[in-house]
Amino acid sequence: MQQILVALTEQVENALEKAFPNESCIAKEAGKKLEPQIVPASKPEFGDFQINGALGLAKKIKQPPRQIAQAIVQQLRKNKKFEELCELPEIAGPGFINITIKADCLIAEIQKRLNDKRLGIALASDLNSQNTSTVVVDFSSPNIAKEMHVGHLRSTIIGDSLSRILEFRGYKVLRLNHVGDWGTQFGMLITHLKHVAPEALTNQDSIDLGDLVIFYRQAKAEFDKCEKFQTSSREEVVKLQKGDKTTLKAWELLCEQSRQEFNKIYKRLNIEIQERGESFYNPYLEDVVKDLSTSGLLVTDNGAKCVFLEGIKGKQGKPLPLIIEKSDGGFNYATTDLAAIRYRFNTAPQGDGAFRLIYVTDAGQASHFNAVFQVAKRAQWIPRGCHVEHVPFGLVQGEDGKKLKTRSGETVRLKDLLDEAVDRAKKDLQERLKEEGRHENNDFINHVSTTVGIASVKYADLSQNRITNYQFNFDRMLSLQGNTAPYLLYALVRIAGLARKGGNLKASVDTLQFNKPQEYNLIRTLLKFETVILEVEAELLPNRLCSYLFELSQVFNRFYDQIPVLKADEPFQSYRLVLCRLTAETLKLGLNLLGIPSLERM
């Protein structure tokens, strides 16, 4: 529908200008234009689109809304291009104009999508040559020496989905994993391991990540209570920052141990990501301080170098400082994030040459990023026409509405959560096969249960508005009913079943013809796909794609249940099979953009 909407908007704007030439001229002189406000129809009985601008224009034009609508319609009826595109427009209520696209135009759009792998969705470079440069998506970001937990799930799969959509649109996407691999935590851990497990600092295989997690907790507890241990830890950090060979070797081993475990999770989730931790930006931290000092933004306060934020005040009403360099000469997260912004916007070989930076982290870091982004803008490190955006998300909660934890109160490990999802999917599948009297081999059962289990976890998360918290519920996410991955996958299975029953889903047709409302409902839904992808690209809300795929599955299932496909006479059988094929292709592409594989049997 996107191309139809573009054509329709042009015709309506022309009609509005002709109907009210004086007001249009005044608007142009002010650098504006009269807005027709074309939106998708709120109900099917209102057609495909509604023109709502008459109500908003009433004060400017000083005429009743319905009279304005009548003038617009009068001009539209004189336009041959509009006549070819739409049925006669209808005025409703106080001045709404209902627009219905002609059936042959809808069919022509469907025919364009036949044998088109992109299903009519243009590359960004086809629309604007300036939007083909690099986009950085910063996501996942676990900490070294800590296991990935359920809190990392949202960042990882939201970031992956946004990356897939931007890549599909033709952008060069840098998927960056800004892991916590630097700072005081390593000083603590190295100091502790020297006493309890020195072999871990020289032999990579002496301990696993689970051991590291335990050792880190012990080190943190010791750090919090022992001043001598704090001093030793900070000395190790200094050694690390100065490149001490022994300390660097220990650091590299600890990082590699964690990296191996992280990669197992990424492989299981089918996530591609490039590690570039905090340590990468360490050589650029001094430049951050120098630049801020030269620009006059840097202020020394109680021995620390900081930038006082505009519009952000503390409890006493004074501007809050963003500390850039601590009084002991050390740096913190803000310094690293500022160095990362400078590097990512800088052109190669001194940077990534990005035009858009996207940070996918929990909503609790919103204040931090607001402060960092403000300083970067004031320092003029964000080039004109470039953008930096925080993509926040809420908590994963248990059914009690509290942060999801194990029965013992521990944070749920991501590995354990995925294991349980697959186990539950396997159990559900085996029970269903038993009820249906079907006998399948272990390879089939393992493949389907793994696909459904992982898909259900991903989709349950992505289908929520990321800004809000959501409650994790295995029974709900694995259900074959409702807005779930199994429901969408089952629609694909039904379509694949048509081929197994003899339907030719790949048949080529020269013309298409339809005569049932269910067919046109499906056509209209299929044609919404491009608009949805463009909305997700702009607003970075994957749940919009999920909602669309759910709607498409519902509309297809009604089509499948209410009118015959394989029992239809030719040529209508072939026409309907074409719609089934396009539905399958749209579902597969949409699920792939969410990072979810498809199935043909369940």
Side-chain angles (χ1 to χ4, degrees):
M1 282 289 197
Q2 188 66 24
Q3 299 306 313
I4 290 177
L5 177 59
V6 171
L8 175 62
T9 300
E10 181 182 351
Q11 302 308 317
V12 175
E13 286 180 348
N14 288 340
L16 190 54
E17 188 172 339
K18 289 180 179 179
F20 304 101
N22 292 336
E23 290 79 1
S24 295
C25 185
I26 293 171
K28 283 183 179 179
E29 289 176 354
K32 301 178 181 179
K33 63 180 179 180
L34 301 182
E35 294 291 345
Q37 296 183 23
I38 304 174
V39 298
S42 56
K43 295 182 179 179
E45 55 265 33
F46 296 155
D48 294 300
F49 296 99
Q50 289 177 275
I51 303 172
N52 298 337
L55 280 74
L57 292 171
K59 287 185 179 180
K60 292 181 180 179
I61 296 177
K62 298 180 180 178
Q63 291 184 21
R66 194 172 179 90
Q67 189 173 326
I68 294 173
Q70 288 170 341
I72 295 171
V73 167
Q74 186 177 1
Q75 292 297 327
L76 289 174
R77 287 177 175 174
K78 297 177 183 179
N79 189 317
K80 289 185 177 180
K81 289 185 178 180
F82 179 84
E83 185 180 354
E84 292 172 357
L85 182 65
C86 305
E87 303 290 352
L88 289 175
E90 297 179 355
I91 299 175
F96 302 110
I97 304 173
N98 296 335
I99 302 292
T100 300
I101 305 301
K102 285 188 171 180
D104 56 352
C105 291
L106 297 173
I107 293 172
E109 287 297 314
I110 285 293
Q111 286 180 307
K112 290 178 184 178
R113 284 151 179 75
L114 297 179
N115 303 315
D116 178 6
K117 292 181 180 180
R118 298 189 59 81
L119 299 178
I121 300 175
L123 290 165
S125 57
D126 295 338
L127 302 176
N128 187 340
S129 60
Q130 294 181 347
N131 282 348
T132 58
S133 54
T134 299
V135 179
V136 169
V137 182
D138 182 322
F139 66 102
S140 193
S141 306
N143 286 316
I144 297 296
K146 295 182 181 180
E147 290 179 294
M148 291 181 72
H149 54 74
V150 67
H152 294 112
L153 174 68
R154 302 207 76 181
S155 177
T156 301
I157 62 177
I158 292 170
D160 175 62
S161 178
L162 295 177
S163 297
R164 287 170 180 264
I165 290 167
L166 292 166
E167 286 162 350
F168 179 71
R169 285 278 289 134
Y171 299 101
K172 177 185 176 183
V173 177
L174 267 179
R175 300 156 158 258
L176 295 185
N177 195 3
H178 191 83
V179 297
D181 67 348
W182 203 248
T184 306
Q185 67 201 56
F186 286 95
M188 294 190 306
L189 189 55
I190 292 171
T191 301
H192 183 61
L193 288 174
K194 280 183 175 181
H195 292 93
V196 299
E199 67 278 5
L201 301 177
T202 56
N203 183 359
Q204 181 177 312
D205 299 323
S206 62
I207 58 173
D208 59 25
L209 182 58
D211 296 325
L212 275 183
V213 172
I214 295 171
F215 287 137
Y216 178 80
R217 289 174 182 166
Q218 294 171 349
K220 181 66 168 65
E222 186 72 11
F223 185 87
D224 290 341
K225 69 180 182 181
C226 179
E227 189 173 335
K228 184 178 179 181
F229 186 86
Q230 292 176 11
T231 302
S232 298
S233 298
R234 292 190 178 105
E235 288 173 353
E236 287 294 342
V237 174
V238 173
K239 289 180 183 179
L240 182 61
Q241 292 174 339
K242 291 185 175 181
D244 178 81
K245 291 184 179 180
T246 303
T247 305
L248 274 176
K249 177 65 175 178
W251 170 75
E252 289 170 356
L253 288 174
L254 295 174
C255 289
E256 182 57 30
Q257 190 67 49
S258 296
R259 187 177 297 119
Q260 290 179 7
E261 295 302 316
F262 296 159
N263 287 337
K264 290 178 183 177
I265 296 291
Y266 294 136
K267 183 177 181 180
R268 196 170 184 187
L269 291 171
N270 192 25
I271 304 290
E272 292 185 7
I273 193 165
Q274 173 185 337
E275 183 180 314
R276 190 191 283 176
E278 294 173 27
S279 60
F280 177 88
Y281 302 101
N282 194 53
Y284 306 101
L285 300 182
E286 292 288 353
D287 290 337
V288 169
V289 178
K290 290 178 183 177
D291 274 14
L292 291 175
S293 178
T294 302
S295 65
L297 293 174
L298 203 64
V299 175
T300 300
D301 186 64
N302 292 325
K305 296 178 180 178
C306 58
V307 176
F308 282 95
L309 301 170
E310 295 178 345
I312 305 176
K313 296 182 179 180
K315 294 180 180 179
Q316 297 179 346
K318 296 180 179 180
L320 281 177
L322 183 69
I323 297 175
I324 307 301
E325 184 177 330
K326 294 182 284 188
S327 57
D328 62 3
F331 302 106
N332 56 20
Y333 294 127
T335 323
T336 302
D337 284 333
L338 287 169
I341 288 175
R342 292 178 76 249
Y343 188 91
R344 292 167 180 180
F345 278 130
N346 284 345
T347 55
Q350 299 300 319
D352 297 318
F355 84 98
R356 187 180 188 186
L357 309 186
I358 297 170
Y359 292 79
V360 186
T361 74
D362 65 271
Q365 296 188 48
S367 296
H368 167 77
F369 282 110
N370 283 339
V372 169
F373 294 167
Q374 182 193 122
V375 172
K377 289 175 183 175
R378 289 167 63 191
Q380 299 184 349
W381 293 339
I382 302 175
R384 180 174 295 182
C386 295
H387 309 278
V388 57
E389 300 158 84
H390 180 216
V391 176
F393 55 82
L395 296 174
V396 182
Q397 299 176 327
E399 293 181 55
D400 58 0
K402 298 179 181 179
K403 191 174 181 179
L404 186 64
K405 292 182 179 293
T406 64
R407 290 182 179 178
S408 62
E410 297 290 326
T411 301
V412 178
R413 296 193 308 171
L414 187 49
K415 175 183 180 297
D416 294 339
L417 182 141
L418 297 177
D419 285 343
E420 185 171 354
V422 172
D423 288 344
R424 285 176 178 251
K426 188 173 185 178
K427 183 180 178 181
D428 289 349
L429 174 60
Q430 289 172 329
E431 289 177 354
R432 185 159 48 83
L433 292 175
K434 186 177 180 180
E435 291 173 1
E436 297 173 0
R438 287 170 55 191
H439 299 282
E440 300 287 355
N441 60 41
N442 288 333
D443 288 344
F444 172 84
I445 292 173
N446 291 333
H447 173 66
V448 171
S449 58
T450 299
T451 300
V452 171
I454 301 297
S456 296
V457 170
K458 284 188 173 186
Y459 189 84
D461 192 305
L462 293 171
S463 62
Q464 308 296 318
N465 185 327
R466 59 170 169 74
I467 298 172
T468 61
N469 302 334
Y470 84 96
Q471 292 186 356
F472 194 93
N473 184 299
F474 277 117
D475 291 336
R476 186 165 56 240
M477 69 176 59
L478 289 166
S479 174
L480 280 168
Q481 303 298 322
N483 188 11
T484 67
Y487 181 81
L488 270 60
L489 291 171
Y490 185 65
L492 280 171
V493 169
R494 297 185 89 175
I495 297 171
L498 292 171
R500 290 193 293 272
K501 295 173 183 176
N504 186 2
L505 291 171
K506 297 182 180 180
S508 60
V509 291
D510 295 327
T511 59
L512 290 172
Q513 183 180 345
F514 302 102
N515 57 12
K516 299 289 184 182
Q518 294 90 337
E519 295 167 325
Y520 282 102
N521 287 341
L522 184 53
I523 288 170
R524 286 182 164 91
T525 307
L526 287 167
L527 294 178
K528 292 180 182 178
F529 190 36
E530 182 179 13
T531 300
V532 172
I533 295 298
L534 296 180
E535 287 176 349
V536 177
E537 176 191 333
E539 300 174 16
L540 306 177
L541 292 168
N543 64 295
R544 296 206 171 189
L545 176 55
C546 295
S547 297
Y548 166 76
L549 296 175
F550 178 50
E551 178 190 1
L552 176 59
S553 298
Q554 289 180 306
V555 172
F556 168 77
N557 283 328
R558 286 194 289 269
F559 160 87
Y560 184 94
D561 292 335
Q562 294 174 7
I563 62 175
V565 178
L566 295 182
K567 292 183 179 180
D569 295 330
E570 288 290 5
F572 289 100
Q573 180 186 123
S574 294
Y575 297 158
R576 290 169 186 172
L577 284 170
V578 164
L579 292 184
C580 292
R581 185 179 93 210
L582 283 175
T583 300
E585 290 174 352
T586 304
L587 285 171
K588 286 179 182 178
L589 177 54
L591 286 169
N592 182 62
L593 294 176
L594 295 173
I596 296 173
S598 54
L599 289 170
E600 294 194 352
R601 293 178 61 229
M602 286 177 66

